[in-house]
Amino acid sequence: MFSDSDGFYAWTASDESGRGVCGITAQPERAAALLARSLCELAPGATGTVRLVRLDRLARRPSYIYGPTVLCLRRTEQAAVIVAGD
């Protein structure tokens, strides 16, 4: 389906109590939507990111090489909002 050179998007959300969720998708819009939905289920103050990743072809076990952060969100009382910078 995808070659080793294709990029993916890893999203991670967590709150101060240690609860969290993460995932990988090939679609940046889907990563952003899943991150926002996950943050809304966590406590206010939770944060999350979407990072560019690619498969590491040389690793003995399947693994990813993580690239830059492309989106940062923080959960407020009302919703997940974009955070400037990293």
Side-chain angles (χ1 to χ4, degrees):
M1 174 152 69
F2 296 103
S3 73
D4 290 349
S5 62
D6 287 333
F8 296 92
Y9 298 87
W11 56 274
T12 304
S14 61
D15 63 19
E16 292 178 2
S17 70
R19 290 182 54 212
V21 66
C22 62
I24 300 276
T25 181
Q27 302 168 334
E29 299 86 6
R30 182 161 170 73
L34 290 168
L35 174 59
R37 183 184 314 153
S38 296
L39 283 174
C40 288
E41 295 177 10
L42 296 173
T47 59
T49 59
V50 174
R51 293 180 66 186
L52 187 60
V53 298
R54 64 182 175 85
L55 291 174
D56 184 350
R57 296 182 309 137
L58 303 176
R60 288 184 178 196
R61 300 172 125 182
S63 64
Y64 295 104
I65 297 171
Y66 287 81
T69 298
V70 296
L71 177 65
C72 295
L73 296 179
R74 178 179 300 125
R75 167 78 156 83
T76 65
E77 291 290 333
Q78 292 80 25
V81 296
I82 295 175
V83 177
D86 282 344

